[in-house]
Amino acid sequence: MQSGIFHASYQKDMAFRHTPAQFIRLGLVLAFALIFPFLANNYYLTLANQIGVAAIGAIGLNLLTGFTGQISLGQGAFMAVGAYSSGLMAARLGLPWFVTIPLACLITAMVGALFGVPSLRLKGLYLAIATLAAQQIIEWLITHWDALTGGVEALVVPAPTLFGSAINTDFRFYWIILICLIGTTLFASNLLRSKVGRAFVAIRDQDIAAEVMGVNLFRYKLTAFAVSSFFVGLSGALTAHYRTIISWERFTLETSILFLAMIIIGGLGSISGSIYGAAFMTLLPAILSNLGRGLEDFVPAMARLIPFLQQAAFGLVIILFLIFEPEGIAKLWRDVKDYFRLWPFSY
Amino acid sequence: MIQLAVEEVTLQFGGVVALRDVNLQVEQGAIHAIIGPNGAGKTSLLNCISRLYHPTQGRIFFEGRDLTTFHPHKIAELGIARSFQNIELFRGMTVLDNLMLGRHVHLRSGVLSGGFYWGKSQREEIAHRAIVEDIIDFLEIEAIRKKTVGTLAYGLQKRVELGRALALEPRLLLLDEPMAGMNVEEKEDMARFILDINEERGITVALIEHDMGVVMDISDEVTVLDFGQIIGQGTPEEVRSDPNVISAYLGEQEVTFRPI
């Protein structure tokens, strides 16, 4: 039986993956991601794209809330900053999407860092309220600064083009989202095993000790806000170009809470958990409405009830996870892997 | 040579005087114990040195530099590390990561180089990992290096916290009750580590400890605090026979010390 995993060099010991099984699993996931769009119909492609965009935003939020311990209720607003800055640059200035998206990410990072300033003095619930202010201020700016954003009117964003052809189908956009998601995952995972990432987690676990060990709290908290907002902005910018039409209603406080639910259910402080949570929270309403439609023949009132059932299921799932698996889907998946590592003799 | 000089430090919280005109000098390379009854101001003094508290009056010099002008996170860069009375480890991180965080001030990588983890950043991590592994060997915690700190037994956590402070490669190590709550074997281990740190690595140690046997055994110099004031100072032998110390700290009756 396996007694542990041992390596002869620090480099191997510090790698993400250690066993052949881990590489095979990664290969299978990547192969599935590459084959999937050729097999799936438009409905499933749309769902996949939604999951991808949400996963990028969830990783961003998890960097801030799950890893650095700074609760943020401003997720929706930061996504709006990314979406509107990329969308406006594309629509008004006619810049190509591969220029506007990175610029939008940088702008969101700066806005995020600005609204992170209160985190030096505020912690926990108090900080959550400060970020709630960010949410309200940005929402108000978008709906009232008509000259820039078009106010409550929806903003039409031109479909992105690449080498002369428009990326206007789910199939084509799938590849952009996939590349962004892989990039985000790699960057975040690497960051967390280097100096900056360790400082983030240290601030979450014991900020005073971190300061005594030489971590500049203010600088690293702002860095956490900036890095997190960068990816949240990416998620927002992708939303803008994918939907090609955006309005402020997509980025309300409800969005912020939905993303918090994603990372709680997926697993706070886990990159893969952010992806699981995003997938779960995107698929749950879809599954419920399909289920409802299937039941309509037997229960005619179902069509009317679905929206309420979705809300109820949403709340129920969060409560169940908080009670039975506070560490989220990421922990469940680890338990499954641990079980099969020793299978069939699990003693 | 005097490495650390506390000069006329007074610390007040409103009307409460935690420290009053404290003068203290720590010799380079010494093991300097600070003792005193509960609430005497020992931890407050340590917190002033690591800049968690700002003294109401007075100054603190470390190798000629006035610590009171530095931000708390700069103290580590100057070469001062510490442990805490109630273990303040990063509970969600592994032992390795806790010690690697101790290397924070020596690491150079930023957000971008860390995020891409190419070449230089990776080589840096590996080089510092080797230094951390040295400390893990020294403290005999090889078996738990990948364990999450929150799951470890109390005595081991104390050892990991010492390791994290050592990873900083300090020139002055402040230890706040490194042996509190330990059994005799664990105390012996800890005393051995402190002596080795002092002798082999040449690190000055200032420690707060309640176990008189240990204090008298390992320290070169002892300072006694009571109600925020220094009431005795000197070698263990001098302090042991100081009538002020005996009456204020150890009670009126004559007490004999027995080494453990």
Side-chain angles (χ1 to χ4, degrees):
Chain A
M1 199 187 86
Q2 189 181 20
S3 62
I5 300 166
F6 302 100
H7 295 286
S9 81
Y10 292 138
Q11 184 170 9
K12 281 207 180 115
D13 194 48
M14 287 150 79
F16 285 134
R17 280 155 224 286
H18 304 286
T19 61
Q22 285 172 320
F23 281 103
I24 291 168
R25 207 157 54 220
L26 176 70
L28 285 176
V29 170
L30 280 181
F32 175 76
L34 293 177
I35 297 167
F36 173 78
F38 295 101
L39 305 176
N41 62 21
N42 245 348
Y43 176 72
Y44 288 106
L45 270 174
T46 311
L47 278 179
N49 285 348
Q50 282 175 1
I51 291 172
V53 171
I56 293 169
I59 291 174
L61 182 63
N62 220 336
L63 279 175
L64 183 64
T65 302
F67 288 99
T68 321
Q70 314 293 306
I71 301 172
S72 166
L73 288 175
Q75 173 85 0
F78 295 143
M79 280 179 81
V81 172
Y84 270 89
S85 37
S86 187
L88 286 169
M89 279 188 282
R92 305 273 163 86
L93 303 178
L95 292 172
W97 59 279
F98 48 82
V99 175
T100 62
I101 291 181
L103 280 179
C105 294
L106 289 175
I107 292 171
T108 318
M110 280 189 282
V111 173
L114 178 70
F115 283 105
V117 170
S119 69
L120 180 65
R121 298 276 173 203
L122 303 175
K123 274 188 204 174
L125 287 174
Y126 300 91
L127 179 65
I129 298 301
T131 56
L132 179 63
Q135 172 76 34
Q136 300 299 338
I137 291 168
I138 291 171
E139 236 181 273
W140 189 88
L141 275 178
I142 288 172
T143 49
H144 288 75
W145 194 352
D146 290 10
L148 180 71
T149 63
V152 291
E153 303 281 317
L155 174 71
V156 180
V157 183
T161 54
L162 191 65
F163 305 123
S165 58
I167 307 171
N168 50 6
T169 63
D170 278 310
F171 178 80
R172 289 177 182 174
F173 217 90
Y174 176 88
W175 302 106
I176 295 179
I177 293 175
L178 184 64
I179 290 166
C180 288
L181 179 57
I182 291 174
T184 304
T185 309
L186 278 178
F187 189 92
S189 310
N190 277 331
L191 188 65
L192 288 164
R193 62 171 170 173
S194 67
K195 175 185 178 180
V196 180
R198 269 194 303 269
F200 287 175
V201 181
I203 290 172
R204 176 194 72 188
D205 282 353
Q206 188 51 257
D207 53 352
I208 291 175
E211 191 170 33
V212 168
M213 298 312 293
V215 176
N216 183 341
L217 291 186
F218 190 47
R219 189 170 138 203
Y220 278 92
K221 280 180 180 177
L222 286 197
T223 308
F225 267 92
V227 175
S228 158
S229 304
F230 184 91
F231 293 117
V232 175
L234 176 60
S235 173
L238 286 173
T239 310
H241 291 277
Y242 173 55
R243 297 283 170 188
T244 66
I245 183 159
I246 49 167
S247 80
W248 65 277
E249 287 157 320
R250 192 178 279 284
F251 309 107
T252 55
L253 182 59
E254 209 173 313
T255 314
S256 305
I257 291 168
L258 179 71
F259 273 86
L260 276 177
M262 277 180 202
I263 61 170
I264 290 169
I265 288 175
L268 281 172
S270 161
I271 296 291
S272 53
S274 321
I275 302 173
Y276 304 146
F280 189 87
M281 294 310 280
T282 314
L283 292 177
L284 182 68
I287 290 169
L288 283 175
S289 45
N290 280 342
L291 206 67
R293 238 170 274 137
L295 286 173
E296 245 168 52
D297 299 339
F298 311 102
V299 190
M302 214 56 199
R304 206 160 36 79
L305 285 173
I306 287 171
F308 302 108
L309 283 179
Q310 280 180 353
Q311 293 289 329
F314 183 83
L316 185 68
V317 163
I318 293 179
I319 292 170
L320 289 179
F321 263 102
L322 287 180
I323 294 172
F324 292 109
E325 193 49 274
E327 289 176 63
I329 301 173
K331 175 76 182 343
L332 282 179
W333 176 229
R334 260 204 310 280
D335 290 347
V336 169
K337 282 189 289 191
D338 284 346
Y339 177 80
F340 279 103
R341 177 147 57 230
L342 300 175
W343 190 83
F345 305 110
S346 54
Y347 41 79
Chain B
M1 193 187 96
I2 305 292
Q3 191 176 30
L4 180 79
V6 176
E7 293 182 359
E8 298 289 319
V9 162
T10 297
L11 178 70
Q12 274 181 299
F13 299 106
V16 180
V17 183
L19 296 170
R20 189 191 297 275
D21 298 330
V22 170
N23 283 295
L24 181 76
Q25 292 184 328
V26 177
E27 281 282 334
Q28 169 132 35
I31 296 183
H32 193 124
I34 299 163
I35 61 173
N38 287 324
K42 307 182 294 294
T43 300
S44 297
L45 180 61
L46 241 55
N47 283 348
C48 282
I49 298 170
S50 51
R51 298 287 295 119
L52 297 176
Y53 294 160
H54 189 79
T56 322
Q57 268 171 38
R59 293 198 292 179
I60 301 167
F61 290 95
F62 175 69
E63 297 178 347
R65 275 179 288 197
D66 185 358
L67 291 183
T68 53
T69 61
F70 286 89
H71 283 290
H73 64 263
K74 289 282 180 196
I75 300 298
E77 283 173 38
L78 295 178
I80 302 178
R82 73 171 283 184
S83 71
F84 295 86
Q85 187 175 357
N86 309 309
I87 303 165
E88 308 280 7
L89 284 166
F90 310 119
R91 297 179 59 82
M93 291 161 72
T94 62
V95 171
L96 256 177
D97 277 343
N98 267 277
L99 266 62
M100 283 298 279
L101 193 280
R103 301 291 306 162
H104 185 83
V105 297
H106 299 286
L107 286 161
R108 289 288 152 261
S109 79
V111 172
L112 284 182
S113 56
F116 290 113
Y117 204 68
W118 286 329
K120 215 173 125 196
S121 178
Q122 189 178 6
R123 280 198 301 278
E124 187 185 42
E125 285 286 318
I126 291 167
H128 287 263
R129 169 76 187 270
I131 298 170
V132 162
E133 286 290 340
D134 246 15
I135 293 166
I136 288 177
D137 277 355
F138 170 68
L139 293 175
E140 297 156 14
I141 48 176
E142 296 95 335
I144 55 161
R145 61 159 79 83
K146 294 263 173 88
K147 288 252 164 60
T148 307
V149 158
T151 64
L152 295 176
Y154 178 85
L156 283 176
Q157 291 197 14
K158 278 271 182 199
R159 216 184 272 193
V160 173
E161 203 184 19
L162 180 64
R164 185 182 64 181
L166 275 185
L168 186 70
E169 285 185 70
R171 290 191 297 283
L172 171 64
L173 184 58
L174 310 171
L175 300 174
D176 197 346
E177 299 199 18
M179 293 160 202
M182 287 186 162
N183 64 31
V184 178
E185 286 88 39
E186 287 171 328
K187 279 184 184 175
E188 281 172 352
D189 278 344
M190 191 53 91
R192 177 164 59 88
F193 290 137
I194 293 171
L195 287 170
D196 283 353
I197 288 166
N198 182 248
E199 278 167 23
E200 288 171 17
R201 294 171 188 249
I203 298 172
T204 315
V205 178
L207 81 157
I208 295 173
E209 187 47 60
H210 279 299
D211 189 316
M212 282 308 130
V214 174
V215 168
M216 297 298 160
D217 256 7
I218 68 172
S219 28
D220 304 312
E221 188 85 8
V222 180
T223 298
V224 192
L225 273 176
D226 193 20
F227 291 111
Q229 280 175 301
I230 290 184
I231 56 165
Q233 208 155 13
T235 61
E237 288 74 31
E238 289 165 4
V239 168
R240 196 189 300 227
S241 52
D242 186 328
N244 272 338
V245 176
I246 292 173
S247 68
Y249 177 63
L250 299 163
E252 295 294 340
Q253 280 181 322
E254 196 175 305
V255 173
T256 49
F257 291 104
R258 271 173 312 189
I260 49 167

